[in-house]
Every structure is written in structure tokens, then in C-alpha cells.
């Protein structure tokens, strides 16, 4: 660890200068030799570094979003080359290159902090050894050696022996207890941060190398912090615990206000946004308008949660506009397709006539034959002209047989039991 820290000795002077400036401020409040003055100086150093890294964090978020948009293409590549892992990896890397993103972008904030971390380790190691380093002169060195955080010296380590700890004016038990608690908190905060990302802010419908990487980091980082934590000075543990808490809070803010599409966090966010819009009838925040604008622009490519959001607005008589605003529509819910796209100028469905049973058709045909002036709807052959050829006995018999069957559309006069039209009687002769 000392060898690695010496590689970043070129920024030791800037880091030590920042700590001394913060110490001069807190020393006037808590006293120059107290652990509060030196401990808060390290915490302020972390906050200053993280504020400077916010643009890099924004870039990380954009890279993560780009990875999410590539997931459908990743799924196609996985299905196409599921039996050829090498070709699958080559196609994935080609896809990343074309999209201008990288799965390792999520590690950028950690890599950017590493030089400051090792520089701080180099400074605290010099304090423990009694050596002046950077802008920390002999009076500041003596003050830092007297500083204790909850009974543990600023430069003490978990693996230090009793003699080393006694030289710093503390007991071995206090150092072991304080460092053990800080190591546990540091590892637990790192694990919770990664678990929150995996369970709430990742689209789990597609298995990608990005997800595998995040899952690996969820278990690897806490183990690494626990392993190296026993070799870190108390001041470095304060630094890393502070940056973990900052990262956790920063990620919670992003997940709550700008979740990943297709994740559980997006479902919860859109549900809250739906209730807000239904209550106020409009969208106020610019970030909310940007999210609604992106959902409207997707069209048929919306996921399940986004379609549910559009349908909920339609049922409430509202419609999302392409600019991200929401306007009131008719009171009646607008008809929507399966993807949530409103349907306009929908032609009414043609109602099919109700199918009649065999008995209804027979009775209907009989009634039509009985009513005078009504054309016959029977399917039987109409009367032939007089000059038609006479039927053979076989055909006549078949015709009689078919006429006698109950399935015939019109019954004969004899079967119906009614008399046909009669001739008028001649006047009686008196």
C-alpha cells in the first residue's frame, strides 16, 4: 500500500494544503488539537472532491442510460449467438463502439477519486511515522498526532501493535473497536449502494454483461474494503466512509427523480407522477417534462410501465403532449391501443346479425308465405312455365319427398292446413 501511495505523491502537497485550510477554520471552533477539527477537515475534503466530480457523475449517468437503450439489441445478439460466446462478445463490443458507450463507465468516479485517496493515505502515514509531508510542518504534525476520533488516533491502524498505539497516546482496545466499527459501516454502505442499484434501478428483463458487472461489484467491493480496511489509518477510514455515504445519498436522489427505464424505480416514479398530474392537472418541474417528453417520443417502443402511465392519463381525460406537458381532453376516456397510443377516427364495429335457429327460420318462412303480397323467401324451386319439359317420375318423386321434409323453407298448402285463394262465386240464379 505504501508503494502505491508513493506513486501519487505528486498531489500530496495539494491534498495536505486543502486539509490544513479546513483545519484552520474548524480549529477555531473545536480547538486545533481535537479530533473534530482534523476529522471534519477530512470530511470537508471528501465533499469538495465529490462536488468537483459531479460532471463526471453526470457523464456516468448518461453512459448508464445509453447502456439501457442498447439492451434490446443486446438481447438479439445473445439469442443469435447463444452458442458462440466469443462471437457474442465481439458483437457486444462492436455495439458499444457504435453507440459510443462503455460498460466500465460506472467505475469512472471511483477511478477519479483514487489519486486523492492514496495521497491522503500518504499524508496520514507520514503523520503516523512522525514525518512532515506536504505543507504539514512540525507544529501541525504534533497537533495531528494528538487528535483522537472517539478515542482512536487519526493515524492509528487496526493492525498496529500496542507499542505503536501507546506512542500515539491511546489504548489498543479503543483503536480496534473504533476501526472495526468503521470498517463494517464502510463495507455495509458500499454493499447497500450496489444492491440498491441492482434491485431498483436496473431493467431486469434483459441479461447483459453490464448487469453481470454490477452484480459482481456488489459482492467484490465490500470484501475489498474489509480486506484493505484493516490496513487503513483511521483518517483514511473517515475519508472512505464519508465518500460511501455521499455516493449512497447521491444514488438515492437519482433513483428517486430520474430512474432507469424498465426498472422498479421507474414504476414507482410514474405512479407518483400519475397521482400528481391527476390532482393538479399539469406538470410543473422541468425534469418531469423531460421524462414525459421521452415517453411520448418512444411511441410503440414504450415499456409496460410507460404504457400504463399513458393509459392512466387517458382514463383521467388527460393527454401527454410531445413537449412534455399535459393537456385536458374530453371527459370520456380516449380509446388507446395496446402500446398506449391514442386511437383517432376509429370506425365503429359492424354488428353481425343474430343467427337464427332452424325452428325460427322455418316459422319465419311459413309466416312470410301466409301473408299476402309478401315475396316468398323459400329456397324451393319456383313454378316452371307451362312449356317446360315434363319431369320424369323419379324427379317428381324426389321433389315430393323433399317437399314433405320438415327442413324445407316453405310448406305446401296441404301441410299448412290452409286453403288457397278461392274463385269468387257466381251470382245465384233466382
Amino acid at each position: 500500500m505504501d508503494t502505491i501511495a508513493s506513486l501519487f505523491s505528486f498531489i500530496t502537497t495539494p491534498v495536505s494544503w486543502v486539509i490544513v485550510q479546513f483545519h484552520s477554520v474548524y480549529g477555531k471552533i473545536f480547538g486545533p488539537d481535537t479530533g473534530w477539527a482534523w476529522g471534519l477537515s477530512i470530511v470537508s475534503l471528501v465533499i469538495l472532491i465529490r462536488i468537483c466530480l459531479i460532471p463526471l457523475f453526470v457523464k456516468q449517468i448518461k453512459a448508464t442510460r445509453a447502456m439501457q437503450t442498447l439492451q434490446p439489441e443486446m438481447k438479439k445478439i445473445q439469442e443469435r449467438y447463444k452458442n458462440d460466446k466469443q462471437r457474442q462478445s465481439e458483437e457486444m463490443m462492436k455495439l458499444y463502439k457504435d453507440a459510443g458507450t462503455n460498460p466500465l463507465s460506472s467505475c469512472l468516479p471511483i477511478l477519479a477519486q483514487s489519486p486523492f485517496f492514496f495521497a491522503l493515505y500518504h499524508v496520514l502515514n507520514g503523520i503516523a511515522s512522525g514525518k512532515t509531508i506536504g505543507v504539514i510542518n512540525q507544529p501541525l504534525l504534533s497537533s495531528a498526532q494528538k487528535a483522537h476520533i472517539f478515542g482512536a488516533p487519526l493515524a492509528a491502524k487496526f493492525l498496529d501493535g500496542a507499542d505503536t498505539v501507546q506512542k500515539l497516546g491511546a489504548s489498543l482496545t479503543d483503536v480496534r473497536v473504533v476501526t472495526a466499527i468503521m470498517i463494517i459501516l464502510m463495507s455495509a454502505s458500499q454493499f447497500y449502494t450496489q444492491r440498491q442499484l441492482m434491485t431498483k434501478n436496473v431493467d431486469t428483463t434483459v441479461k447483459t454483461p453490464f448487469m453481470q458487472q454490477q452484480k459482481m461489484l456488489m459482492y467484490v467491493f465490500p470484501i475489498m474494503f474489509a480486506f484493505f480496511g484493516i490496513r487503513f489509518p483511521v483518517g483514511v477510514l473517515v475519508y472512505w466512509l464519508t465518500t460511501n455515504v455521499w455516493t449512497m445519498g447521491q444514488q438515492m436522489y437519482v433513483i428517486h427523480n430520474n430512474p432507469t427505464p424498465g426498472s422498479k424505480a421507474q414504476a414507482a416514479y410514474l405512479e407518483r407522477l400519475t397521482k400528481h398530474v391527476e390532482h393538479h392537472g399539469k406538470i410543473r418541474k422541468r425534469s418531469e417534462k423531460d421524462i414525459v417528453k421521452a415517453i411520448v417520443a418512444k411511441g410503440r417502443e414504450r415499456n409496460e410501465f410507460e404504457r400504463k402511465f399513458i393509459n392512466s392519463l387517458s382514463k383521467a381525460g388527460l393527454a401527454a403532449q410531445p413537449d412534455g406537458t399535459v393537456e385536458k381532453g374530453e371527459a370520456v376516456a380516449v380509446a388507446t391501443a395496446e402500446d398506449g397510443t391514442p386511437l383517432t377516427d376509429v370506425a365503429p364495429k359492424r354488428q353481425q346479425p343474430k343467427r337464427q335457429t332452424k325452428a325460427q327460420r322455418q316459422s319465419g318462412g311459413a309466416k312470410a308465405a301466409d301473408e299476402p303480397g309478401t315475396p316468398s323467401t323459400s329456397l324451393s324451386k319456383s313454378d316452371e312455365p307451362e312449356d317446360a319439359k315434363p319431369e320424369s317420375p323419379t324427379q317428381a318423386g324426389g321433389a315430393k319427398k323433399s317437399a314433405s321434409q320438415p327442413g324445407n323453407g316453405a310448406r305446401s298448402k296441404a301441410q299448412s292446413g290452409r286453403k288457397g285463394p278461392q274463385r269468387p262465386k257466381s251470382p245465384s240464379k233466382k
Side-chain angles (χ1 to χ4, degrees):
M1 184 66 68
D2 296 337
T3 304
I4 299 175
S6 62
L7 297 175
F8 298 94
S9 59
F10 63 93
I11 61 171
T12 299
T13 300
V15 170
S16 61
W17 182 84
V18 172
I19 293 176
V20 169
Q21 300 305 313
F22 281 119
H23 175 263
S24 63
V25 176
Y26 294 120
K28 296 178 181 180
I29 301 174
F30 302 102
D33 299 336
T34 59
W36 285 104
W38 286 99
L40 290 176
S41 299
I42 296 174
V43 172
S44 300
L45 173 66
V46 175
I47 295 174
L48 178 62
I49 293 173
R50 295 309 299 266
I51 290 175
C52 295
L53 292 178
I54 286 178
L56 190 60
F57 177 75
V58 173
K59 186 177 180 180
Q60 174 195 4
I61 294 297
K62 291 181 178 179
T64 304
R65 293 291 185 269
M67 292 293 297
Q68 294 293 333
T69 57
L70 293 178
Q71 285 192 0
E73 298 297 329
M74 294 178 184
K75 186 176 181 180
K76 293 178 182 179
I77 293 175
Q78 288 179 340
E79 293 176 353
R80 186 180 304 172
Y81 305 105
K82 59 182 178 180
N83 296 326
D84 190 351
K85 297 298 181 182
Q86 182 178 359
R87 182 65 183 278
Q88 185 181 118
S89 300
E90 293 175 356
E91 294 295 329
M92 287 288 187
M93 295 306 297
K94 183 180 178 181
L95 182 64
Y96 298 150
K97 185 178 180 180
D98 295 339
T101 186
N102 195 325
L104 299 178
S105 300
S106 59
C107 301
L108 288 178
I110 296 177
L111 296 176
Q113 298 182 74
S114 298
F116 303 97
F117 168 76
F118 287 111
L120 178 63
Y121 179 87
H122 195 51
V123 170
L124 295 175
N125 194 38
I127 293 173
S129 303
K131 299 178 182 179
T132 57
I133 185 170
V135 299
I136 298 179
N137 53 24
Q138 190 62 41
L140 290 173
L141 177 63
S142 300
S143 175
Q145 288 179 338
K146 295 177 183 178
H148 291 67
I149 298 177
F150 300 109
L154 195 67
K157 305 175 186 176
F158 183 86
L159 295 179
D160 285 344
D163 297 337
T164 304
V165 173
Q166 288 178 358
K167 291 179 182 179
L168 296 173
S171 65
L172 184 62
T173 303
D174 292 340
V175 172
R176 295 283 175 86
V177 171
V178 172
T179 53
I181 292 175
M182 295 183 72
I183 289 170
I184 292 173
L185 292 176
M186 184 175 62
S187 300
S189 60
Q190 180 65 37
F191 178 79
Y192 179 79
T193 301
Q194 289 298 129
R195 181 174 176 80
Q196 181 180 231
L197 179 65
M198 289 296 300
T199 56
K200 293 183 179 181
N201 205 38
V202 172
D203 187 358
T204 57
T205 58
V206 182
K207 303 296 181 182
T208 63
F210 174 74
M211 291 182 58
Q212 298 297 328
Q213 173 198 359
Q214 295 296 323
K215 187 176 182 180
M216 180 184 66
L217 294 178
M218 182 173 66
Y219 294 101
V220 171
F221 274 171
I223 296 175
M224 289 177 58
F225 283 126
F227 177 76
F228 290 108
I230 58 178
R231 295 170 173 80
F232 290 162
V234 173
V236 174
L237 294 179
V238 171
Y239 172 91
W240 209 252
L241 178 59
T242 305
T243 193
N244 282 358
V245 173
W246 177 282
T247 302
M248 182 173 61
Q250 188 174 250
Q251 184 171 272
M252 290 176 65
Y253 175 82
V254 172
I255 291 175
H256 187 269
N257 295 282
N258 191 16
T260 301
S263 62
K264 294 181 179 178
Q266 189 196 31
Y269 176 84
L270 292 179
E271 185 176 354
R272 295 193 305 269
L273 183 59
T274 302
K275 294 180 180 178
H276 173 78
V277 174
E278 289 178 353
H279 180 71
H280 297 282
K282 60 181 179 178
I283 296 177
R284 299 178 180 177
K285 297 182 180 179
R286 181 177 179 182
S287 59
E288 295 176 349
K289 291 183 180 180
D290 292 339
I291 292 177
V292 174
K293 181 179 179 181
I295 293 175
V296 174
K298 286 184 178 181
R300 295 183 179 275
E301 296 181 359
R302 299 178 190 131
N303 57 44
E304 177 186 356
F305 308 126
E306 293 166 348
R307 289 195 297 268
K308 184 178 179 181
F309 170 71
I310 296 296
N311 291 335
S312 299
L313 293 181
S314 299
K315 292 178 181 178
L318 302 171
Q321 303 301 314
D323 60 350
T325 59
V326 174
E327 294 183 359
K328 293 183 179 180
E330 298 179 358
V332 183
V334 181
T336 56
E338 293 181 357
D339 60 348
T341 306
L343 297 177
T344 57
D345 299 333
V346 180
K349 294 183 178 180
R350 186 179 62 181
Q351 296 183 355
Q352 297 292 338
K354 188 175 180 180
R355 188 173 181 179
Q356 297 180 347
T357 61
K358 190 174 182 179
Q360 290 175 341
R361 291 196 300 271
Q362 292 176 357
S363 61
K367 291 179 180 179
D370 294 341
E371 293 178 359
T374 304
S376 176
T377 58
S378 173
L379 298 178
S380 59
K381 186 180 291 185
S382 59
D383 295 335
E384 295 183 357
E386 295 179 355
D387 57 347
K389 296 181 180 180
E391 296 180 352
S392 62
T394 306
Q395 293 177 348
K400 292 179 180 180
K401 183 177 180 180
S402 62
S404 63
Q405 290 179 352
N408 194 9
R411 293 182 297 178
S412 62
K413 296 179 180 180
Q415 290 176 335
S416 61
R418 295 177 180 269
K419 294 182 180 180
Q422 298 179 358
R423 295 179 181 178
K425 294 182 180 181
S426 56
S428 57
K429 296 179 179 180
K430 294 181 180 181

